[in-house]
Amino acid sequence: MEHTEKKRPSRLLALDILRGITIAGMILVNNPGSWSHIYPPLEHASWDGLTPTDLVFPFFMFIMGISTYFSLRKFEFRLSWQCCRKILVRTIVIFAIGLGVAWFGKFLRGIPEKGVWEAMCNFDQIRILGVMPRLALCYGLGSLIALGVGRKMLPWFIFGMLVLYTVLLLIGNGLEFSEQSIIARLDNAVLGEDHMYHETVDGQRLAFDPEGILSTLPSIAHMLIGFMCGGLILSTKDNNLRINKLFIVGTILTFTGFLLSYGVPINKKIWSPTFVLTTCGLASLFLGLLIWIIDIKGYKRWCKFFEAFGINPLFMYVLGAVMSIVLGCIKVPYSGEAARDGMISVAGWFYNAVWTPLAGGDPTLGSLFFALAFVVLIWIPGYFLYKNKIYIKI
């Protein structure tokens, strides 16, 4: 990580706010007080379908594509050694941070049973892929593809990637949650069951990674759609024209995704092509709306909270993940029913002893209170960085 304190370049505030909203949203839905008590909009769709929670990660991926366009413009979109080195280093660092967070979780959870040294060396069950590794792969491969293919041919390349993935899903049983799915078979063969996420759908639990190898292909296309929208934004100086173009693109993508979903369902866990089109379209529409509210109409007071998340997004996400692991592993004495052997995690204590009573005994509302409080907890150091103009770049 690199710390800088220089003045930020001029940019659309709406981009920072959308980025901040998505990071705050990811932290919110990843940290309920209880996984057994969650309001339906704050849960992922079990398999096919789309909930508000299913939008936060693809929205961030879309914004990453826009930011990548801004970044690569400095190199005039040429595959120079300096540009490739920057892409490669950033990709490796982001991927390594993702693996580090996965290791840290296994380490802390393994100490009580295995001891410090054995828990420290427990590499045989670390999940290799996940949110941060997916961001790394999509940024690295997407950037190289954008530079190598060229902006004129890029739309056709994206189209080809989505068509290819659709064909693989249709001929490889990829639309079903099953061990015979081409997605599960490839991940099991390459990664191994112990290094994968274990998903549960309709009571059936399988080694099935929603950020697996094959579904990285449409995720790269997803990032590249954002990349093209970044070009649309920079090529248009007037904000009114910008939002008109974003609304047109967003409407076309959204309706195309919904129409094609009758053949290929919208599904986040396989990152289906219709999921790509629909969420990119909704992200484009939402960005256009934010530009109108914030950058045209000037309604900015409400968004200060999200700006702290938006200027240091990956740092804030990693901080949330690490803090969640720590609060979930440190045990304190507790005499309630939720305790085991008279002990409960710090997170569990706050949920059971603080937030659920404040919610009038409603466990679902208490779970939401916990999640909101956790977002505020992560915001506090983010706000300190924001006020002191400290930007942590990965």
Side-chain angles (χ1 to χ4, degrees):
M1 296 184 183
E2 175 186 351
H3 296 255
T4 64
E5 300 188 13
K6 56 187 178 182
K7 186 178 179 181
R8 299 168 66 215
S10 176
R11 67 170 82 183
L12 282 171
L13 179 59
L15 286 171
D16 283 336
I17 301 307
L18 179 54
R19 188 185 295 110
I21 290 173
T22 59
I23 291 297
M26 290 166 75
I27 294 172
L28 177 75
V29 302
N30 286 340
N31 295 279
S34 167
W35 288 104
S36 301
H37 300 92
I38 309 174
Y39 288 111
L42 298 179
E43 291 188 279
H44 290 292
S46 177
W47 188 242
D48 293 336
L50 197 64
T51 72
T53 296
D54 292 322
L55 298 178
V56 288
F57 188 19
F59 275 27
F60 184 81
M61 188 86 73
F62 178 83
I63 289 296
M64 184 178 72
I66 294 177
S67 301
T68 301
Y69 186 95
F70 294 171
S71 176
L72 295 183
R73 184 182 58 157
K74 303 172 186 176
F75 299 97
E76 299 180 348
F77 303 104
R78 295 178 180 175
L79 270 173
S80 64
W81 165 244
Q82 182 183 7
C83 179
C84 289
R85 183 178 60 183
K86 177 183 177 181
I87 293 170
L88 182 61
V89 169
R90 190 164 189 255
T91 299
I92 292 173
V93 169
I94 295 174
F95 198 101
I97 291 173
L99 285 180
V101 172
W103 171 85
F104 183 66
K106 286 288 183 182
F107 168 66
L108 285 191
R109 296 184 189 102
I111 289 177
E113 296 181 1
K114 301 179 179 181
V116 174
W117 176 250
E118 190 174 345
M120 187 180 297
C121 299
N122 183 21
F123 300 106
D124 57 337
Q125 292 185 328
I126 293 178
R127 183 186 177 196
I128 296 175
L129 299 179
V131 172
M132 291 290 285
R134 168 150 290 185
L135 290 174
L137 292 174
C138 289
Y139 164 75
L141 296 175
S143 297
L144 294 175
I145 289 170
L147 295 175
V149 172
R151 286 172 289 169
K152 290 184 179 180
M153 293 299 297
L154 193 56
W156 296 105
F157 194 88
I158 294 171
F159 176 76
M161 292 175 73
L162 294 178
V163 169
L164 173 61
Y165 186 59
T166 301
V167 172
L168 292 174
L169 291 178
L170 294 176
I171 66 176
N173 200 34
L175 298 179
E176 296 183 11
F177 182 68
S178 140
E179 291 179 341
Q180 301 307 313
S181 164
I182 188 173
I183 297 174
R185 281 186 290 157
L186 179 62
D187 286 342
N188 270 284
V190 177
L191 302 175
E193 184 176 330
D194 290 340
H195 297 288
M196 293 169 57
Y197 187 82
H198 287 67
E199 189 71 67
T200 302
V201 176
D202 296 330
Q204 182 184 15
R205 185 171 177 80
L206 296 175
F208 195 101
D209 206 312
E211 281 82 41
I213 296 172
L214 191 60
S215 61
T216 301
L217 181 67
S219 300
I220 294 171
H222 192 121
M223 175 268 187
L224 290 173
I225 293 175
F227 182 88
M228 292 183 61
C229 286
L232 181 152
I233 290 170
L234 281 189
S235 65
T236 309
K237 303 303 180 184
D238 181 73
N239 277 334
N240 287 292
L241 290 177
R242 279 174 172 165
I243 64 173
N244 285 342
K245 291 182 179 180
L246 286 171
F247 283 150
I248 292 171
V249 170
T251 301
I252 292 172
L253 291 175
T254 302
F255 274 89
T256 301
F258 276 119
L259 288 173
L260 294 178
S261 68
Y262 290 98
V264 179
I266 297 171
N267 187 309
K268 178 188 179 295
K269 291 174 182 176
I270 62 173
W271 215 276
S272 65
T274 49
F275 178 79
V276 172
L277 296 174
T278 303
T279 54
C280 282
L282 292 174
S284 181
L285 291 170
F286 192 30
L287 177 58
L289 177 62
L290 288 178
I291 292 174
W292 181 78
I293 293 172
I294 298 170
D295 295 289
I296 294 178
K297 292 299 182 179
Y299 301 130
K300 301 178 181 179
R301 288 186 178 181
W302 66 273
C303 60
K304 291 292 184 182
F305 179 84
F306 297 107
E307 193 170 2
F309 287 97
I311 63 170
N312 286 305
L314 293 182
F315 169 78
M316 297 291 277
Y317 178 80
V318 172
L319 177 63
V322 171
M323 187 63 69
S324 177
I325 292 169
V326 171
L327 294 182
C329 290
I330 296 177
K331 305 292 183 178
V332 294
Y334 183 66
S335 58
E337 295 182 0
R340 292 183 179 180
D341 300 324
M343 302 293 287
I344 195 172
S345 69
V346 173
W349 185 89
F350 273 102
Y351 168 65
N352 288 280
V354 178
W355 297 115
T356 299
L358 284 176
D362 184 337
T364 307
L365 184 58
S367 183
L368 176 60
F369 283 174
F370 178 95
L372 291 170
F374 189 86
V375 172
V376 173
L377 175 66
I378 302 304
W379 172 81
I380 292 172
Y383 182 72
F384 172 82
L385 298 176
Y386 167 70
K387 290 297 291 184
N388 289 278
K389 296 182 172 60
I390 300 174
Y391 311 111
I392 302 177
K393 297 181 180 181
I394 298 178

